[in-house]
Amino acid sequence: IARQQYNLLGSHDTPRFLTQVRGNAAHNHLAVVLLFTYPGVPSVYYGDEIGLQGEGGNGARGCMPWDRTIWDEDLRGRYQALIKLRRSNPALVEGGFQMLLAEADTLVFLRDAEAEQILVVAQRGPGTRSSEPIDVAHGGLPDGLVLCELFSGRRATVSGGRLEIGAVPPGAQVWVSIG
């Protein structure tokens, strides 16, 4: 059932999601990453991918603005990268789900399939999470496994059952296994 659940951040019946997070780009990014990496079927309300905002009624139901000069192309590029990741990675299409860490403002979960692993780090707090390594041994990630962060290109290697990714600012990171 979880693979078929319909996941969405906004619709014609709600304020635009970017409006709900008061224009906070990090919180919007976090939510979009969770939408595309969590089990289920992600749904995007038209215009959210280019940064449309608006309250209820016509504010959330206006026509799509086709003038690309007003689009948030960086946000659109992040949606495109996540759509590509979602469509091409077995860990997100049919893989398992395991929560690895739950702190006051931080969640880390693993999506995995036979040939790959994807680690999602979500930091919702106003500050940065410390650079304390994340324990990943209980997720079955072997020492020596190299992961690459989708948006920054940074790499990290599992060592001693832990993954050192450094301090995590508000937002989300997607770490994909290499090899």
Side-chain angles (χ1 to χ4, degrees):
I1 291 173
R3 287 189 189 152
Q4 283 81 32
Q5 68 188 5
Y6 189 61
N7 299 330
L8 62 145
L9 298 174
S11 74
H12 65 279
D13 288 328
T14 63
R16 294 272 179 185
F17 190 76
L18 191 54
T19 300
Q20 291 190 49
V21 295
R22 297 182 182 100
N24 185 314
H27 288 163
N28 187 62
H29 175 66
L30 177 139
V32 173
V33 166
L34 293 178
L35 176 69
F36 281 97
T37 59
Y38 204 77
V41 180
S43 174
V44 177
Y45 183 50
Y46 79 93
D48 284 351
E49 76 282 5
I50 59 166
L52 288 187
Q53 293 193 49
E55 294 293 332
N58 288 339
R61 296 181 187 167
C63 294
M64 177 70 176
W66 293 108
D67 178 2
R68 293 177 74 128
T69 63
I70 64 171
W71 292 7
D72 181 337
E73 291 290 351
D74 181 55
L75 179 60
R76 184 170 176 259
R78 288 177 180 262
Y79 269 86
Q80 289 173 322
L82 287 163
I83 290 167
K84 181 179 178 183
L85 181 74
R86 178 66 184 223
R87 294 179 75 176
S88 63
N89 291 68
L92 296 179
V93 175
E94 59 197 30
F97 174 89
Q98 183 178 357
M99 189 64 65
L100 298 182
L101 175 74
E103 295 175 343
D105 290 320
T106 308
L107 289 177
V108 178
F109 62 84
L110 175 68
R111 297 293 313 273
D112 63 333
E114 188 172 319
E116 74 176 349
Q117 297 79 33
I118 295 179
L119 193 74
V120 178
V121 181
Q123 169 63 14
R124 73 171 185 163
T128 300
R129 180 188 183 271
S130 74
S131 59
E132 181 180 336
I134 297 169
D135 184 10
V136 296
H138 60 288
L141 299 180
D143 283 355
L145 179 70
V146 178
L147 295 107
C148 181
E149 206 283 317
L150 178 66
F151 299 105
S152 69
R154 290 186 306 129
R155 292 178 182 232
T157 304
V158 176
S159 177
R162 298 168 67 96
L163 186 67
E164 292 192 37
I165 61 171
V168 180
Q173 299 177 358
V174 179
W175 293 85
V176 182
S177 62
I178 299 174

